[in-house]
Amino acid sequence: MENRLVRKLESHVRLSAEDVRRLHGLGRQKVRRLRPREDIIREGERPDHAYLVLQGWACRYKVLEDGRRQIIAFLLPGDISDLDIFLPHEMDHSVAAITPIICSEIAREALDGIAGHPRLVEALGRDRLVEAAIQREWTVNLGQRTAIERVGHLLCELFIRLRTIGLSQGNRCEMPLTQTEIADATGLTPVHINRTLRQLRARNLIALHDKELAIPDLEQLKRVSQFNGNYLHLEQAGTPVDGGG
Amino acid sequence: MENRLVRKLESHVRLSAEDVRRLHGLGRQKVRRLRPREDIIREGERPDHAYLVLQGWACRYKVLEDGRRQIIAFLLPGDISDLDIFLPHEMDHSVAAITPIICSEIAREALDGIAGHPRLVEALGRDRLVEAAIQREWTVNLGQRTAIERVGHLLCELFIRLRTIGLSQGNRCEMPLTQTEIADATGLTPVHINRTLRQLRARNLIALHDKELAIPDLEQLKRVSQFNGNYLHLEQAGTPVDGGG
DNA sequence: CGTGCCGTTGACGATATTCAAGTGCAGTGG
DNA sequence: CCACTGCACTTGAATATCGTCAACGGCACG
């Protein structure tokens, strides 16, 4: 659903019908499907396409020589992997599917059509700002927060990002990550994630089973996790409505 | 010295004399001087200038409610703080001087003059790619590396960045950071930084006193720190010559 | 009906934090 | 000139947090 992208961008800038049409065009490029754990791009490659995630979750990651792995970012539906193909360069990290993925390979030429549309340029620019802000916030998360705060913070972020693109239902959302993946994203071990999740559950801050997350009291989870959502630069126009889907 | 910026950009793209002239112009805007610990921009503000660091070191940082502080990035001479002023937005973090700073306030209009120069646009675009890559690498550093690796990795990065802009002398460079600042950047405590530096010294991986760092064997320090410099996207054209400092 | 992955739990150990005290040095003011 | 203050750095001892090792159950998949 390329309208996840539309929805995300509209949280920054109001788009015209023409803009929206053009964005839909991005989702109708060469479509690729990947299975969980499959790499979309590998470190060292020189991609000449950007990738728009249509369905499913992916992640950026890096692996150290001895096998330690860090997940650097999560890509949700509507996220675009590598808009910088205008500047050919080697990937310094890899991108892999977490769930089954449907994505659209966006050629350089397809992006040229956007350059003449200031609103779209602005919207994509703002999206990039948010992406950078998220990366900075992860730096803070890994550097300063305790295990509970880290996991709570990550879940807050993911929930709010999903809500923004209409993929939440009330206080619940999909959560396809394994504990090992949460561990790789938070710089903790799977064993410790398991115990941390147990604590969060015991304190009634989250309910998480069968790949589904419920947050009984988001404000409380934010408080416990020292979560301040300003970095997501969302309009303060109140809580978005459910997406029903 | 605005030629630090020129030097950095030329590590990505060969610039014309005209390009260089335009870059020098950026350093001749309204010049500001700040003392150590002084904030250049604060979280929540809406800057309408970008800042080019001419002399001295600065850092981006965020503070949690209970006072924990994370340094998110270091700004060295030639670094530009906030090129995104074309998209007005609230700062989600602060920027502060570490040493005495001289920087140039770059107004939006001054940047307009660059838009028509493709090489400059490309150079600045690549610089931004590197900035993002550094932020990702910090994520890996904080998430996966041990104390020794983290500190070693940070010192490798800073040394190489300084060397790129001609601020190294042989295997030595300035290192104005206090142990507390290194702690805030690596997510460790000052006490532990002290012990970690001692270990690095004992293993003859670094010499650090009086705000000066020497790295007897860079390759060895890289190995110990699991440092792979690809993310800095430097030309592989061999080791840059000394800048003479 | 194995095999592999995911989640769970216990026991133990390593790494890093906290608390506390003391040194040296630069800057300030009497 | 000398006391006084603040800050950076150093070190030791006790503690907390998180990691490692190991084992087991459930479940999906071939």
Side-chain angles (χ1 to χ4, degrees):
Chain A
M1 304 293 157
E2 57 270 34
N3 58 10
R4 303 303 173 194
L5 173 57
V6 172
R7 189 136 179 192
K8 185 175 61 159
L9 295 185
E10 281 188 325
S11 79
H12 304 307
V13 176
R14 200 164 308 164
L15 299 172
S16 70
E18 160 83 19
D19 293 334
V20 171
R21 233 175 295 126
R22 293 207 161 253
L23 287 178
H24 280 151
L26 294 184
R28 298 215 192 74
Q29 307 283 313
K30 191 168 144 204
V31 167
R32 243 176 101 185
R33 284 155 202 276
L34 295 103
R35 281 165 307 182
R37 290 153 179 268
E38 230 177 316
D39 279 324
I40 301 176
I41 320 173
R42 281 213 188 79
E43 185 171 346
E45 290 180 8
R46 296 179 149 271
D48 45 16
H49 298 278
Y51 294 90
L52 166 61
V53 178
L54 299 175
Q55 271 184 43
W57 292 31
C59 67
R60 303 180 191 281
Y61 70 94
K62 282 185 102 154
V63 180
L64 300 188
E65 291 192 358
D66 57 3
R68 281 177 280 174
R69 180 174 98 131
Q70 177 67 38
I71 290 180
I72 291 165
F74 287 112
L75 299 178
L76 308 182
D79 284 344
I80 299 179
S81 157
D82 200 356
L83 267 185
D84 305 304
I85 42 172
F86 289 108
L87 304 171
H89 63 282
E90 250 186 33
M91 293 293 292
D92 53 55
H93 64 277
S94 304
V95 180
I98 288 179
T99 68
I101 280 277
I102 303 177
C103 63
S104 170
E105 277 190 358
I106 304 176
R108 230 163 272 172
E109 304 77 48
L111 290 172
D112 290 336
I114 284 181
H117 296 255
R119 281 243 192 72
L120 280 181
V121 172
E122 177 182 348
L124 290 170
R126 288 193 180 279
D127 189 48
R128 185 207 294 271
L129 285 193
V130 172
E131 195 184 325
I134 290 175
Q135 201 67 55
R136 285 191 293 266
E137 190 64 33
W138 279 44
T139 308
V140 178
N141 209 25
L142 292 169
Q144 297 300 326
R145 285 189 253 261
T146 64
I148 285 216
E149 292 166 345
R150 271 188 233 184
V151 175
H153 193 281
L154 175 64
L155 296 179
C156 280
E157 179 188 302
L158 289 171
F159 175 76
I160 291 173
R161 285 173 61 191
L162 288 169
R163 195 176 58 181
T164 304
I165 57 176
L167 288 181
S168 66
Q169 302 85 42
N171 62 4
R172 292 141 47 98
C173 66
E174 242 186 313
M175 185 52 58
L177 303 177
T178 66
Q179 294 185 357
T180 299
E181 284 157 347
I182 297 176
D184 287 347
T186 53
L188 301 163
T189 57
V191 172
H192 202 63
I193 289 296
N194 185 289
R195 292 173 174 140
T196 304
L197 288 174
R198 183 146 52 116
Q199 282 186 67
L200 285 168
R201 273 191 277 251
R203 295 171 62 178
N204 202 32
L205 291 165
I206 64 166
L208 176 58
H209 25 239
D210 301 329
K211 306 299 181 194
E212 195 176 86
L213 169 69
I215 303 178
D217 182 346
L218 182 58
E219 290 310 312
Q220 201 194 343
L221 182 60
K222 284 184 180 175
R223 225 174 299 121
V224 168
S225 312
Q226 305 240 21
F227 182 93
N228 175 334
N230 290 352
Y231 71 100
L232 294 172
H233 294 278
L234 298 170
E235 301 308 307
Q236 308 298 344
T239 305
V241 199
D242 285 1
Chain B
M1 304 292 159
E2 58 269 34
N3 59 9
R4 303 302 171 193
L5 173 58
V6 171
R7 190 136 178 192
K8 186 176 60 160
L9 295 186
E10 279 187 325
S11 78
H12 304 307
V13 176
R14 200 166 306 165
L15 299 171
S16 70
E18 159 83 20
D19 294 333
V20 171
R21 233 175 296 126
R22 293 207 162 254
L23 288 178
H24 279 150
L26 294 185
R28 297 213 193 77
Q29 306 283 314
K30 191 167 144 206
V31 168
R32 243 176 102 182
R33 283 155 203 275
L34 296 102
R35 282 166 305 183
R37 291 152 179 270
E38 230 177 314
D39 280 324
I40 301 176
I41 320 173
R42 281 214 188 80
E43 185 171 345
E45 290 180 9
R46 296 181 149 269
D48 44 17
H49 297 279
Y51 294 89
L52 166 61
V53 178
L54 299 174
Q55 271 184 43
W57 291 31
C59 68
R60 302 181 193 281
Y61 70 94
K62 281 184 102 154
V63 180
L64 301 188
E65 290 193 358
D66 58 3
R68 282 176 280 174
R69 182 174 97 132
Q70 178 66 39
I71 289 179
I72 291 164
F74 288 113
L75 299 178
L76 307 181
D79 283 344
I80 298 179
S81 156
D82 199 357
L83 266 185
D84 304 304
I85 43 171
F86 289 108
L87 304 172
H89 62 282
E90 252 186 31
M91 293 292 292
D92 53 56
H93 63 279
S94 304
V95 180
I98 288 178
T99 68
I101 280 276
I102 303 178
C103 64
S104 169
E105 277 190 358
I106 304 177
R108 229 164 271 172
E109 302 77 47
L111 289 172
D112 290 337
I114 283 180
H117 295 255
R119 280 241 193 72
L120 281 181
V121 171
E122 177 181 348
L124 290 170
R126 287 194 182 277
D127 189 49
R128 185 208 293 272
L129 285 193
V130 172
E131 195 185 325
I134 291 175
Q135 202 66 56
R136 286 191 293 267
E137 190 63 34
W138 279 44
T139 307
V140 178
N141 209 27
L142 292 168
Q144 297 301 325
R145 285 190 253 262
T146 64
I148 285 216
E149 292 167 345
R150 272 189 231 185
V151 175
H153 193 280
L154 175 63
L155 295 179
C156 280
E157 179 189 301
L158 289 171
F159 175 76
I160 291 172
R161 285 173 62 191
L162 288 169
R163 194 176 61 182
T164 305
I165 57 176
L167 288 180
S168 66
Q169 303 84 43
N171 63 4
R172 292 141 47 99
C173 66
E174 242 186 315
M175 186 50 58
L177 304 178
T178 65
Q179 294 185 358
T180 300
E181 285 158 346
I182 297 177
D184 287 345
T186 53
L188 300 163
T189 56
V191 171
H192 201 59
I193 289 295
N194 185 287
R195 290 171 177 141
T196 304
L197 288 174
R198 183 145 54 115
Q199 283 186 67
L200 285 168
R201 273 191 276 251
R203 295 171 62 177
N204 202 33
L205 291 166
I206 64 167
L208 177 58
H209 23 238
D210 301 329
K211 306 297 181 195
E212 197 177 83
L213 169 70
I215 303 178
D217 183 345
L218 182 58
E219 289 310 312
Q220 202 193 341
L221 183 59
K222 283 184 181 175
R223 224 173 301 121
V224 169
S225 313
Q226 305 241 22
F227 182 93
N228 175 335
N230 290 354
Y231 72 99
L232 294 172
H233 293 278
L234 298 170
E235 300 308 308
Q236 308 297 345
T239 305
V241 198
D242 286 0

